[in-house]
Amino acid sequence: MRDDTNKPWRGQSWPRTVSGKSALVEPLPHHISCEALHVNFRANPDAVAHFLPPGLEPLEDGAGWVMIAEMAKVSAHQPEQIWRDPSRSSYNECVLGFYCRYGDRIGRFSALVWVDRDWSLGMGAIFGWGKRLGAIDRTRLQSTNPALAGEDVKLGGTVSRHGHHVLSLSVDLPGGGAPLDAMPGHGGSTFLYRYVASPSPDVPDIEQLFELGFTNVRQTGIRQGAGEIRFGSAPDEELDVLGTVEVTGGFTYQRGWTTDRTARLLQDFSTPGQ
Amino acid sequence: MRDDTNKPWRGQSWPRTVSGKSALVEPLPHHISCEALHVNFRANPDAVAHFLPPGLEPLEDGAGWVMIAEMAKVSAHQPEQIWRDPSRSSYNECVLGFYCRYGDRIGRFSALVWVDRDWSLGMGAIFGWGKRLGAIDRTRLQSTNPALAGEDVKLGGTVSRHGHHVLSLSVDLPGGGAPLDAMPGHGGSTFLYRYVASPSPDVPDIEQLFELGFTNVRQTGIRQGAGEIRFGSAPDEELDVLGTVEVTGGFTYQRGWTTDRTARLLQDFSTPGQ
Amino acid sequence: MRDDTNKPWRGQSWPRTVSGKSALVEPLPHHISCEALHVNFRANPDAVAHFLPPGLEPLEDGAGWVMIAEMAKVSAHQPEQIWRDPSRSSYNECVLGFYCRYGDRIGRFSALVWVDRDWSLGMGAIFGWGKRLGAIDRTRLQSTNPALAGEDVKLGGTVSRHGHHVLSLSVDLPGGGAPLDAMPGHGGSTFLYRYVASPSPDVPDIEQLFELGFTNVRQTGIRQGAGEIRFGSAPDEELDVLGTVEVTGGFTYQRGWTTDRTARLLQDFSTPGQ
Amino acid sequence: MRDDTNKPWRGQSWPRTVSGKSALVEPLPHHISCEALHVNFRANPDAVAHFLPPGLEPLEDGAGWVMIAEMAKVSAHQPEQIWRDPSRSSYNECVLGFYCRYGDRIGRFSALVWVDRDWSLGMGAIFGWGKRLGAIDRTRLQSTNPALAGEDVKLGGTVSRHGHHVLSLSVDLPGGGAPLDAMPGHGGSTFLYRYVASPSPDVPDIEQLFELGFTNVRQTGIRQGAGEIRFGSAPDEELDVLGTVEVTGGFTYQRGWTTDRTARLLQDFSTPGQ
């Protein structure tokens, strides 16, 4: 058998080659930012449990959120990409998440994520985010638009997938909204549930629970108003499980952070006995 | 034959129905805004003439521009659409235009336009804009992104169509760029060349030259820096005709205005003898 | 003013240039073909009238159809395009049409059309087809697929637009369906309603009714089975006006023809007094 | 900690829930079929090695292939999907692969794959296929099209990704091509290289080599002609490494098979010492 020790073989993700140039996901860490609409809600904790993986429990108040944002990503190893190839930097994303408990620690779990670029979807296999492709749109708050010249603004966001309405939200900001210093809610940790099925009876499925922190976090321009959420139905969605949720606030903000491979393993379901 | 005088038949564009609800283009006027990257250039006036319709002449300096922007549109008749259905409000656009002369008047002509929504493309038949679909991307200047935290920023934009690179540009803004009160260039008028082929030997093609002004124009946040443009090639593009152009400035700005059916006919080529 | 008589200025559609190379629509005639699913139905004639333009009346039985197809188009002037640039040749289309009467002549009217390529949409302004972009999908009847190996097949098609379900249909073909020599229904003429709004108070809107015939028509492989249709709802659709329709047959077939600018003007609503 | 033994937790892929309904990838096995254009070539074996993972060696003749196809997929657990939701069944794919050697066994390795649906991309993490999203188009050989009525046909296919041309091919079939009973080349085994980066220093990257066979394989309608391939360039592609390849044949065919989790582990690079 050939000696591959002399063969460099690179790429942060498939497809890998000698150069790593073709990899779907670019070298981590990634610097991320968002221009976000965000609605907090409370649902029935039993419904929340439907979306939480083994090891995580819903909070008693069933707290969760939906965020829809225009995003930007830059691989720390490719700083020129943001202006050379913006189709690999700009993307839209929607996250539906829940606050939850792992033992005595409270944190956040991003249960369902929709993005509109494959390279963002490819992060799902690494970090265990439930990413699928969708069409994600939000109001662009461009104040030079004659229709947006007033003080009162109302912004909205929508997600669809394969031609089915997934969800929509709105944030009503009379007078531009009330400025806040920080978002309400539990900062805490972020939990990751990573599952990749095995192609073979010879190896187990990957099934692991992690905790991940972000660095360089910065959040600005938080404004609070009134929020609304509406869930749709689709053959491969199940948001109707949540029923009608109680909205506890609508927000808009900018946020930035750095994502890296620094997660801490909490539990490994793939290795029997661990 | 049935009396249709009693039958309302509506829609700002095809498809029309009794209600007008299905029309591709929503009722005018439209309130428009953009978050733009913009590069001014000079090309060979003979090359510019290649893109100017009958009646319009290039300036001696061959001045033109490329703009790539994230845009927002609101039909004045559907003010709630911007938050209810942002997929019909948010869009991206690239305009390649030239300054030109009609008789003794200097104005602007948008020769080639790429957009990413069909309802924007549908405006082309009404106003005579050379719109086609493309993928248009620009750097999102999100200052919370750890990669964009510095004072010096470089932004870029790209256009592709049917898998072919059409053009790319960049704007380098050391220290955030130099603030300007107004964009350089000839404000003046906007010329429209409207051509719609006839489906029948019984009726002539529509071929008309118009002048159009905009109302509610407002431009803010103009920053000047250094620009670059690169043209690609494709089976149904011809930007290579422009050769290598001399860039005279790179800019970023926000702009808003209202578009309505207020054009003034300059010349009608479709009616022989006029 | 410059003498443009010496300046060739070409293009079957906008954008036009000296070469015509950039035009969205390629030189006519176009050779077209489809691999179609087709469902015939009857609706309330008053509901049908909702979708018929001035001059056309519904039949007493309210007959109409929906067709969803994978299509191919070749400009007669660019015969190599079909293999050189298939993204400009392959497309998907859905047509919702009605049989109707113009005076004493019975013909077909394509009321609403969804396509997935801009160059097909651009034909709408020329021929008066109510085209908009959508996502159009149909079952691919690939008999080597282990799931399609049986004699009995059931095929389906769906249309969505901006993330909203527009319509879906299915054709059930026990034993592969019953072979037919010709499709039932009125062959007759095709009526076109062409509307392009004016950008100016100086010129009238274009509003014309035409009759169009196709040449080189060839239809093969007609199979009849049972059909089903389901209409969705969306902010800019109005298929709910049709209510529940009575399906009269489901079909699959291949069809080819040539489309050219050979329409005959029936009525010109744009010129007062005609 | 809560007892999850009573909690079913399902889904063939992320995102997983109690029901498994939201999973990107549907339950395996999948019945697959293609309507394919296929070009065989020979490249420099050193260039081929650039794309082969540890453990696999190029053949002496540097044999490889490109296939572009319109495809159909049906999850064996969701037989109605093919007509109920064809947007989750129809897709387009391009595979660039090489024949190679693992020890003394010769087989095939799909090095780079482009697909146009996320659910197909999601199979990459499970089976180790180098899938990314692209726009994949091929000529549709619809014989009712007046432009395709002759005996001689020439078909083509193209792939682009993020607005960059990746590759194009054509197959020239004079007289419809020469019928073949079987494709030339090594049937043998299919090798899989599966790599998923770890999100944590606590767990190793997954890096494994497998062999996979397919069942229910059926290939029909094989026609041979002359082939051509052209590789493009892009920031995240590296087909230029292959240089100019020697084409050894062009083909068109239909093929069907069943894909399941039956791979056999050949080597596990992730577990030191194995």
Side-chain angles (χ1 to χ4, degrees):
Chain A
M1 190 154 309
R2 131 182 178 190
D3 177 8
D4 280 292
T5 52
N6 295 323
K7 185 186 184 183
W9 188 249
R10 298 199 186 90
Q12 188 69 84
S13 79
W14 72 84
R16 299 188 99 202
T17 63
V18 165
S19 75
K21 195 181 166 192
S22 295
L24 174 62
V25 176
E26 290 144 11
L28 289 158
H30 292 179
H31 301 308
I32 314 276
S33 54
C34 64
E35 184 82 37
L37 300 180
H38 183 119
V39 174
N40 281 336
F41 65 81
R42 288 178 189 157
N44 186 320
D46 289 341
V48 172
H50 183 91
F51 297 93
L52 294 182
L56 300 183
E57 292 177 86
L59 297 197
E60 292 66 25
D61 63 0
W65 75 91
V66 178
M67 187 215 68
I68 291 182
E70 294 194 330
M71 314 274 298
K73 176 230 68 181
V74 194
S75 165
H77 295 257
Q78 303 183 7
E80 298 203 337
Q81 186 195 65
I82 201 163
W83 63 267
R84 280 197 190 279
D85 200 3
S87 74
R88 294 183 62 87
S89 173
S90 301
Y91 67 117
N92 291 358
E93 180 167 293
C94 174
V95 175
L96 171 71
F98 301 100
Y99 291 99
C100 56
R101 202 183 304 273
Y102 177 76
D104 57 0
R105 276 216 295 297
I106 290 181
R108 294 180 293 160
F109 179 69
S110 295
L112 298 168
V113 186
W114 299 265
V115 294
D116 62 359
R117 302 285 191 185
D118 61 350
W119 41 261
S120 177
L121 194 157
M123 294 278 277
I126 301 175
F127 286 94
W129 287 313
K131 294 191 168 190
R132 289 172 295 164
L133 284 193
I136 300 107
D137 291 283
R138 58 152 288 175
T139 313
R140 289 173 173 169
L141 182 45
Q142 300 183 339
S143 60
T144 58
N145 193 304
L148 294 169
E151 293 262 304
D152 300 338
V153 293
K154 187 165 181 178
L155 312 174
T158 54
V159 179
S160 69
R161 175 166 156 74
H162 288 308
H164 297 281
H165 174 246
V166 171
L167 66 83
S168 53
L169 60 77
S170 66
V171 178
D172 199 357
L173 298 164
L180 288 187
D181 285 337
M183 287 284 289
H186 314 269
S189 306
T190 293
F191 299 117
L192 307 176
Y193 172 72
R194 188 176 182 238
Y195 174 80
V196 187
S198 165
S200 163
D202 300 346
V203 298
D205 296 343
I206 296 157
E207 189 174 1
Q208 298 154 333
L209 199 65
F210 295 94
E211 183 174 356
L212 178 69
F214 300 99
T215 55
N216 298 325
V217 180
R218 196 169 147 234
Q219 191 161 14
T220 63
I222 309 174
R223 294 284 182 143
Q224 178 163 18
E228 284 179 320
I229 308 179
R230 198 162 56 86
F231 297 128
S233 63
D236 61 340
E237 303 283 354
E238 48 197 311
L239 298 180
D240 45 3
V241 168
L242 290 171
T244 302
V245 298
E246 178 198 351
V247 170
T248 57
F251 308 87
T252 180
Y253 55 79
Q254 296 85 44
R255 193 162 183 263
W257 67 92
T258 298
T259 299
D260 204 354
R261 304 202 288 152
T262 57
R264 194 165 65 84
L265 182 67
L266 298 180
Q267 233 178 307
D268 193 334
F269 306 101
S270 28
T271 313
Q274 176 161 344
Chain B
M1 193 154 306
R2 127 184 180 189
D3 177 7
D4 279 293
T5 51
N6 294 325
K7 184 185 183 183
W9 190 250
R10 298 200 187 89
Q12 188 69 85
S13 80
W14 72 84
R16 299 188 100 202
T17 63
V18 165
S19 75
K21 196 181 164 193
S22 296
L24 174 62
V25 176
E26 290 144 12
L28 288 157
H30 292 179
H31 301 307
I32 315 276
S33 54
C34 63
E35 185 82 34
L37 300 180
H38 183 119
V39 174
N40 281 336
F41 66 80
R42 288 178 189 155
N44 185 321
D46 288 343
V48 172
H50 183 91
F51 297 93
L52 294 182
L56 299 183
E57 292 176 87
L59 297 197
E60 291 67 25
D61 64 1
W65 75 91
V66 177
M67 185 213 70
I68 290 182
E70 294 195 329
M71 315 274 298
K73 173 230 71 181
V74 194
S75 166
H77 296 258
Q78 303 183 6
E80 297 203 339
Q81 186 194 63
I82 201 164
W83 63 267
R84 278 196 190 281
D85 200 3
S87 73
R88 294 183 62 88
S89 174
S90 300
Y91 67 116
N92 290 358
E93 181 167 293
C94 175
V95 175
L96 171 71
F98 301 100
Y99 291 99
C100 56
R101 202 182 302 276
Y102 176 76
D104 57 1
R105 274 216 297 297
I106 290 180
R108 293 180 294 160
F109 179 68
S110 295
L112 298 168
V113 186
W114 298 265
V115 294
D116 61 0
R117 302 283 192 187
D118 61 349
W119 42 261
S120 177
L121 194 157
M123 295 278 278
I126 301 175
F127 286 95
W129 288 313
K131 293 191 170 190
R132 290 173 294 165
L133 284 194
I136 300 105
D137 291 283
R138 59 152 287 176
T139 312
R140 288 174 173 168
L141 182 44
Q142 300 182 339
S143 60
T144 57
N145 193 303
L148 294 168
E151 293 262 303
D152 300 339
V153 292
K154 187 165 182 178
L155 311 174
T158 54
V159 179
S160 68
R161 177 168 154 71
H162 288 307
H164 297 281
H165 174 245
V166 171
L167 66 83
S168 53
L169 61 76
S170 66
V171 178
D172 198 357
L173 298 163
L180 288 187
D181 284 338
M183 286 284 290
H186 313 269
S189 307
T190 294
F191 299 118
L192 306 176
Y193 172 74
R194 188 176 182 238
Y195 175 80
V196 187
S198 166
S200 164
D202 299 347
V203 300
D205 295 344
I206 296 157
E207 188 175 3
Q208 298 154 333
L209 199 66
F210 295 93
E211 183 174 355
L212 178 68
F214 300 98
T215 55
N216 298 327
V217 180
R218 197 170 145 234
Q219 192 161 13
T220 63
I222 310 173
R223 295 283 182 144
Q224 179 163 15
E228 283 180 319
I229 308 178
R230 196 161 57 87
F231 295 128
S233 64
D236 62 339
E237 302 285 351
E238 48 197 312
L239 298 179
D240 45 2
V241 167
L242 290 172
T244 303
V245 299
E246 178 197 351
V247 170
T248 57
F251 309 88
T252 180
Y253 55 78
Q254 297 84 46
R255 193 165 183 262
W257 67 91
T258 298
T259 300
D260 204 355
R261 304 202 288 154
T262 58
R264 195 166 65 83
L265 181 67
L266 298 179
Q267 235 179 307
D268 193 334
F269 304 103
S270 29
T271 313
Q274 176 161 346
Chain C
M1 192 153 307
R2 125 183 180 191
D3 176 8
D4 279 294
T5 51
N6 294 325
K7 184 185 184 183
W9 189 250
R10 297 199 187 89
Q12 188 69 85
S13 80
W14 73 84
R16 301 188 98 202
T17 62
V18 165
S19 75
K21 195 182 166 195
S22 295
L24 174 62
V25 176
E26 290 145 12
L28 290 157
H30 292 179
H31 302 307
I32 315 276
S33 55
C34 64
E35 185 82 34
L37 300 180
H38 182 121
V39 173
N40 282 336
F41 66 81
R42 288 179 188 154
N44 185 321
D46 289 342
V48 172
H50 183 90
F51 297 93
L52 294 182
L56 299 183
E57 291 176 88
L59 297 197
E60 291 67 25
D61 63 1
W65 75 91
V66 177
M67 185 213 71
I68 290 181
E70 294 194 330
M71 314 274 299
K73 175 230 68 181
V74 194
S75 165
H77 295 257
Q78 303 183 8
E80 298 202 337
Q81 186 194 64
I82 201 163
W83 63 267
R84 280 196 189 279
D85 200 2
S87 73
R88 295 184 62 87
S89 173
S90 300
Y91 67 117
N92 290 358
E93 181 167 292
C94 174
V95 175
L96 171 72
F98 301 100
Y99 292 100
C100 56
R101 202 182 302 274
Y102 176 77
D104 58 0
R105 274 216 297 295
I106 290 179
R108 294 181 293 160
F109 178 69
S110 295
L112 297 167
V113 186
W114 299 265
V115 294
D116 61 0
R117 301 283 193 188
D118 61 350
W119 42 261
S120 176
L121 194 156
M123 295 278 277
I126 301 175
F127 286 95
W129 287 312
K131 294 190 171 191
R132 289 173 295 165
L133 285 194
I136 300 106
D137 291 283
R138 59 152 288 177
T139 312
R140 289 174 172 167
L141 184 43
Q142 299 183 340
S143 60
T144 57
N145 193 303
L148 295 168
E151 293 261 304
D152 301 338
V153 291
K154 187 164 182 178
L155 312 173
T158 54
V159 179
S160 69
R161 175 167 157 72
H162 288 307
H164 297 281
H165 174 246
V166 171
L167 66 83
S168 53
L169 60 76
S170 65
V171 178
D172 198 358
L173 298 163
L180 288 187
D181 285 338
M183 287 284 289
H186 314 269
S189 306
T190 294
F191 299 118
L192 307 176
Y193 172 72
R194 187 176 183 239
Y195 174 80
V196 187
S198 165
S200 164
D202 299 347
V203 299
D205 294 345
I206 296 157
E207 189 175 2
Q208 297 155 333
L209 199 65
F210 294 93
E211 183 174 355
L212 177 68
F214 301 99
T215 56
N216 299 326
V217 180
R218 197 171 145 233
Q219 192 161 13
T220 63
I222 309 173
R223 294 284 182 143
Q224 180 163 16
E228 283 179 320
I229 308 179
R230 197 162 56 88
F231 296 128
S233 64
D236 62 339
E237 303 284 352
E238 48 198 309
L239 297 180
D240 44 3
V241 167
L242 290 171
T244 303
V245 299
E246 178 198 351
V247 170
T248 57
F251 308 87
T252 180
Y253 55 80
Q254 297 85 45
R255 193 163 182 262
W257 67 90
T258 298
T259 299
D260 204 354
R261 303 202 289 154
T262 58
R264 194 166 64 84
L265 181 68
L266 298 178
Q267 235 179 307
D268 193 334
F269 305 102
S270 30
T271 313
Q274 176 162 344
Chain D
M1 193 153 306
R2 131 183 176 191
D3 177 8
D4 280 291
T5 51
N6 294 324
K7 185 186 183 184
W9 190 249
R10 298 199 187 88
Q12 189 67 86
S13 79
W14 72 84
R16 300 188 99 201
T17 62
V18 165
S19 75
K21 196 181 166 193
S22 295
L24 174 62
V25 176
E26 290 144 13
L28 289 157
H30 292 178
H31 301 307
I32 315 277
S33 55
C34 64
E35 184 82 36
L37 300 180
H38 183 118
V39 174
N40 282 335
F41 65 82
R42 287 179 189 155
N44 186 321
D46 289 342
V48 172
H50 182 90
F51 297 93
L52 294 183
L56 299 183
E57 292 177 86
L59 297 197
E60 292 67 25
D61 63 1
W65 75 91
V66 178
M67 186 214 68
I68 290 181
E70 294 194 331
M71 315 274 298
K73 174 230 69 182
V74 194
S75 165
H77 296 256
Q78 303 183 6
E80 298 203 337
Q81 185 195 65
I82 201 163
W83 62 268
R84 279 197 190 279
D85 200 2
S87 74
R88 293 183 62 87
S89 173
S90 300
Y91 66 117
N92 290 357
E93 181 167 293
C94 175
V95 175
L96 171 72
F98 301 101
Y99 291 100
C100 55
R101 202 182 302 275
Y102 176 76
D104 57 0
R105 275 217 296 298
I106 290 180
R108 294 181 293 160
F109 178 69
S110 295
L112 298 168
V113 185
W114 298 265
V115 294
D116 61 359
R117 302 283 190 186
D118 61 349
W119 41 261
S120 177
L121 194 157
M123 295 278 278
I126 301 174
F127 286 95
W129 288 312
K131 294 191 169 191
R132 289 174 295 165
L133 285 193
I136 301 107
D137 291 283
R138 58 151 289 176
T139 312
R140 289 173 172 168
L141 182 45
Q142 299 184 339
S143 60
T144 57
N145 192 302
L148 294 168
E151 293 261 304
D152 301 339
V153 293
K154 186 165 183 178
L155 311 174
T158 54
V159 179
S160 68
R161 176 166 156 72
H162 287 307
H164 297 280
H165 173 247
V166 171
L167 65 82
S168 53
L169 60 76
S170 66
V171 178
D172 199 358
L173 298 162
L180 289 187
D181 285 337
M183 287 285 290
H186 314 269
S189 308
T190 293
F191 299 118
L192 307 177
Y193 172 73
R194 188 174 181 240
Y195 174 81
V196 186
S198 165
S200 164
D202 299 345
V203 298
D205 296 343
I206 296 157
E207 188 174 3
Q208 298 154 333
L209 198 65
F210 295 94
E211 183 173 356
L212 178 68
F214 301 98
T215 56
N216 298 326
V217 180
R218 198 170 145 234
Q219 192 161 15
T220 63
I222 310 173
R223 294 285 183 142
Q224 178 163 17
E228 283 179 321
I229 307 178
R230 197 161 56 86
F231 296 128
S233 63
D236 61 340
E237 302 283 353
E238 47 197 313
L239 297 179
D240 44 3
V241 167
L242 290 171
T244 302
V245 299
E246 178 198 351
V247 171
T248 57
F251 308 87
T252 180
Y253 55 80
Q254 297 84 46
R255 193 162 183 264
W257 67 91
T258 298
T259 299
D260 205 354
R261 303 202 288 154
T262 58
R264 194 166 63 85
L265 181 67
L266 299 179
Q267 234 179 305
D268 193 333
F269 305 102
S270 26
T271 313
Q274 176 161 344

